[in-house]
Amino acid sequence: MFYQYNPRGATWGNIVWAHSVSKDLVNWTPLDPALFPSQPSDINGCWSGSATLLPGNKPAILYTGIDSMNRQVQNLAQPKNLSDPFLREWVKSPKNPLMEPTSANNIDSSSFRDPTTAWLGKDGQWRVLVGSLRETSGTALLYKSKDFVDWVQAEQPLHSTLGSGMWECPDFFPVLSNGQLGVDTSLNGDHVRHVLKASLSAKKHDYYMIGSYNATKDVFIPDNGTNQFVLSYDYGKYYASKTFFDDGKKRRILLAWVSESSSSADDKKKGWSGIYVSCL
């Protein structure tokens, strides 16, 4: 598991990717940080992102870096040694950043973050979502790539909701229409529905929609006939969740951050802040 971490204190800042491993999702052993600022594209912080398994079971991380101009950009990192079962060392692409806000694509450089796990379309192209904001509309920007390095922004987002504010940590995955098993992120067809989830920055809660994914037009169509988020994962301080597919046990696992309600002074006194919870 990777998670946002400040190695210099209990409050937010100096963000790196901490790294822990577990055999049961309950007991965790911390390792050295997996990602820390080292390139112009992430010199001011390595923010949230997601991992994707490429062909040959080769994992790749897409993550948001804060570059030397304090812009939010998307970067790639891959394992240095695939024979290491803990994947302790990661190598960043020399082509970083792979996605960046420009005047041409009309993206606010302060509202462009948290890429999802990518999925593979029938056309052989990878697709990934990046959370963003356009005026008051939260949106899931869509990017495509044939090689996981050169990404092109789609003409339209996968989905957008008027008045919802910034979408952080978006998540997008299929679920069986009938059945309890989890399915691979790239699966699509009449036998699955799709879940689109966003962490709404203005409300500090996680909301989701269930609907269908039109792979030809690359758009998400909610089942409820409205673009508004009405379903919530949880009603407490539950935020920035992510799912991954466990192929071994055919289940989808949800991990989320619980930010608690303590003050910064309390966090400094106890020496830590925030906890993680998992749901199966």
Side-chain angles (χ1 to χ4, degrees):
M1 179 172 71
F2 304 106
Y3 48 100
Q4 301 282 265
Y5 175 61
N6 178 1
R8 302 179 186 174
T11 55
W12 192 91
N14 312 301
I15 297 300
V16 305
W17 273 41
H19 186 188
S20 293
V21 295
S22 173
K23 293 182 178 180
D24 58 11
L25 298 178
V26 176
N27 301 286
W28 293 87
T29 300
L31 304 177
D32 291 337
L35 296 175
F36 45 86
S38 64
Q39 288 185 324
S41 60
D42 67 8
I43 198 63
N44 287 311
C46 297
W47 287 12
S48 289
S50 303
T52 300
L53 271 182
L54 304 183
N57 283 328
K58 297 179 180 179
I61 287 172
L62 289 173
Y63 70 98
T64 299
I66 309 304
D67 70 7
S68 55
M69 295 179 284
N70 281 319
R71 302 182 310 161
Q72 297 172 12
V73 299
Q74 313 314 318
N75 301 309
L76 171 67
Q78 294 178 283
K80 182 177 181 179
N81 180 10
L82 281 173
S83 65
D84 176 6
F86 294 148
L87 301 176
R88 281 170 283 205
E89 295 183 83
W90 294 76
V91 178
K92 299 174 185 178
S93 171
K95 293 189 176 182
N96 286 339
L98 307 187
M99 293 165 262
E100 56 187 315
T102 66
S103 57
N105 57 25
N106 194 30
I107 297 174
D108 185 341
S109 64
S110 65
S111 303
F112 181 56
R113 55 187 178 270
D114 310 337
T116 64
T117 294
W119 69 96
L120 190 61
K122 291 184 178 180
D123 59 1
Q125 292 194 75
W126 291 98
R127 289 156 171 81
V128 70
L129 303 180
V130 180
S132 190
L133 174 69
R134 289 180 173 173
E135 296 182 350
T136 65
S137 297
T139 185
L141 300 176
L142 178 68
Y143 284 80
K144 301 180 183 180
S145 175
K146 294 180 180 180
D147 59 6
F148 221 80
V149 175
D150 297 307
W151 293 87
V152 177
Q153 186 180 357
E155 292 184 2
Q156 61 182 344
L158 180 86
H159 197 65
S160 183
T161 300
L162 181 65
S164 59
M166 175 66 193
W167 287 10
E168 295 187 302
C169 297
D171 199 13
F172 187 61
F173 57 90
V175 292
L176 290 175
S177 298
N178 295 294
Q180 299 295 316
L181 296 179
V183 292
D184 181 82
T185 309
S186 296
L187 190 68
N188 196 16
D190 295 337
H191 62 303
V192 302
R193 313 304 296 150
H194 270 77
V195 176
L196 174 64
K197 166 261 166 181
S199 299
L200 302 188
S201 179
K203 296 184 177 182
K204 298 302 179 187
H205 288 284
D206 279 14
Y207 295 88
Y208 68 98
M209 301 177 186
I210 300 174
S212 59
Y213 167 47
N214 185 321
T216 302
K217 296 182 178 180
D218 275 321
V219 294
F220 172 75
I221 306 165
D223 282 347
N224 60 12
T226 175
N227 282 338
Q228 298 302 315
F229 284 101
V230 295
L231 301 172
S232 177
Y233 275 170
D234 191 274
Y235 295 94
K237 292 183 71 64
Y238 187 94
Y239 197 69
S241 62
K242 283 282 184 178
T243 67
F244 69 91
F245 175 56
D246 174 7
D247 184 60
K249 296 187 177 180
K250 305 300 179 186
R251 58 182 179 173
R252 183 161 290 273
I253 297 173
L254 172 70
L255 292 166
W257 169 52
V258 177
S259 63
E260 308 172 278
S261 301
S262 54
S263 66
S264 293
D266 289 339
D267 292 339
K268 291 178 181 178
K269 185 176 180 179
K270 66 185 179 182
W272 58 273
S273 175
I275 58 175
Y276 276 89
V277 296
S278 64
C279 300
L280 309 180

